Amino acid sequence: MADRRALVAGNWKMHKTAAEARAYVAELLAALPARADVDVALCAPFTALGAVAQAAVGHGLAVYAQNMHEQAAGAFTGEISAAMLLELGVAGVVLGHSERRTHFGETDRALAQKVPAALAAGLAPILCVGETEEERIAGDTERKLRHQVQEGLEHVPRSRLGEVAIAYEPIWAIGTGRVASPEQAQEAVSFIRALVAAASAAAGRVVRVLYGGSVTPENAAELLALPDVDGALVGGASLDPGSFAAIAAAASTP
Ligand code: PGA
């Protein structure tokens, strides 16, 4: 993982009320390794963000949202702006998760606005990309990743490209227990890094590329040891504080 600092983010999806989130954070803080060489983030539902931020304050635990609207304000019923997130103590935001793309019509066009809007507002974006099983079988993985990465980063100023974390999440590995092989993960993640490097060599060296899709305490160490993998986006296994702490610990192993 070179000298890039690992980022381990737990994506709770639509799980946990604010009260459940508070209890979780207390357990997680007790279980997390007392090392400072990994960034740990919880991507909580909107309604739990404030509770997580308050419980995490001063403990080096960051709170991320799972989505954000690209506009600063306006007639967008049901949407949430960057300023609303910042007011709650949110540090970053997951953008373009495949569940948002599949179930809620999130498009690469919208992401081309959302990623720079998050950065401009002071939120650290995690842009999610990944191929379906059909695309992999058809040999279309690189074409899909190239399209998603290039469009998602299109309006990000070159000088800030390295601040966008990119999560490679093969859709066939999300929530299925079918984790990508180390070879598949390394190949896709290094391809993504090369795409960023083609736009800015400096950004290619510092950009953090995460792996996501059925990461568990059992397989985390092998995935996190891959040369281009700089962390993990963890769904199911992040719902239990003990499991998530174990994955964070795997990322901090020298
Ligand atoms: P999973 O989800 O770890 O449950 O596969 C990953 C994700 O959706 O980010």
Side-chain angles (χ1 to χ4, degrees):
M1 133 182 14
D3 47 8
R4 296 177 294 272
R5 194 177 158 87
L7 168 61
V8 175
N11 176 15
W12 286 353
K13 310 190 179 185
M14 196 174 73
H15 293 281
K16 300 192 189 295
T17 63
E20 289 165 348
R22 262 181 230 106
Y24 174 104
V25 173
E27 275 191 61
L28 178 67
L29 292 175
L32 271 181
R35 300 208 195 101
D37 59 348
V38 184
D39 291 334
V40 181
L42 291 173
C43 312
F46 289 130
T47 48
L49 289 171
V52 175
Q54 278 170 18
V57 89
H59 297 284
L61 188 59
V63 186
Y64 279 44
Q66 299 173 11
N67 186 26
M68 182 200 92
H69 196 275
E70 62 270 28
Q71 296 293 323
F76 302 106
T77 301
E79 291 290 322
I80 300 284
S81 72
M84 295 169 187
L85 298 176
L86 287 162
E87 186 183 47
L88 294 175
V90 171
V93 59
V94 175
L95 295 172
H97 190 280
S98 68
E99 287 153 16
R100 298 239 35 106
R101 295 175 187 262
T102 305
H103 304 308
F104 305 103
E106 183 80 283
T107 62
D108 288 315
R109 279 287 90 207
L111 291 164
Q113 306 300 322
K114 287 186 179 196
V115 178
L119 276 175
L123 292 166
I126 300 178
L127 172 66
C128 300
V129 298
E131 80 287 0
T132 63
E133 182 153 43
E134 292 71 28
E135 287 163 338
R136 175 163 283 275
I137 290 168
D140 275 344
T141 299
E142 293 197 345
R143 187 193 54 77
K144 175 78 172 293
L145 296 178
R146 183 183 300 111
H147 182 78
Q148 290 184 323
V149 170
Q150 288 180 344
E151 196 148 348
L153 299 181
E154 189 180 343
H155 302 303
V156 174
R158 269 192 182 193
S159 61
R160 301 201 67 181
L161 273 178
E163 296 174 52
V164 181
I166 302 177
Y168 168 61
E169 298 206 302
I171 295 169
W172 47 271
I174 295 178
T176 58
R178 287 177 54 205
V179 66
S181 70
E183 295 72 28
Q184 289 170 327
Q186 170 59 26
E187 191 180 30
V189 162
S190 67
F191 178 72
I192 290 167
R193 183 175 310 289
L195 290 172
V196 177
S200 158
R205 284 191 290 275
V206 299
V207 69
R208 294 193 287 190
V209 189
L210 318 183
Y211 170 80
S214 296
V215 176
T216 63
E218 290 71 35
N219 61 30
E222 187 176 27
L223 290 161
L224 291 164
L226 295 168
D228 279 298
V229 172
D230 304 316
L233 184 55
V234 187
S238 76
L239 294 175
D240 175 72
S243 298
F244 187 54
I247 294 169
S252 74
T253 309

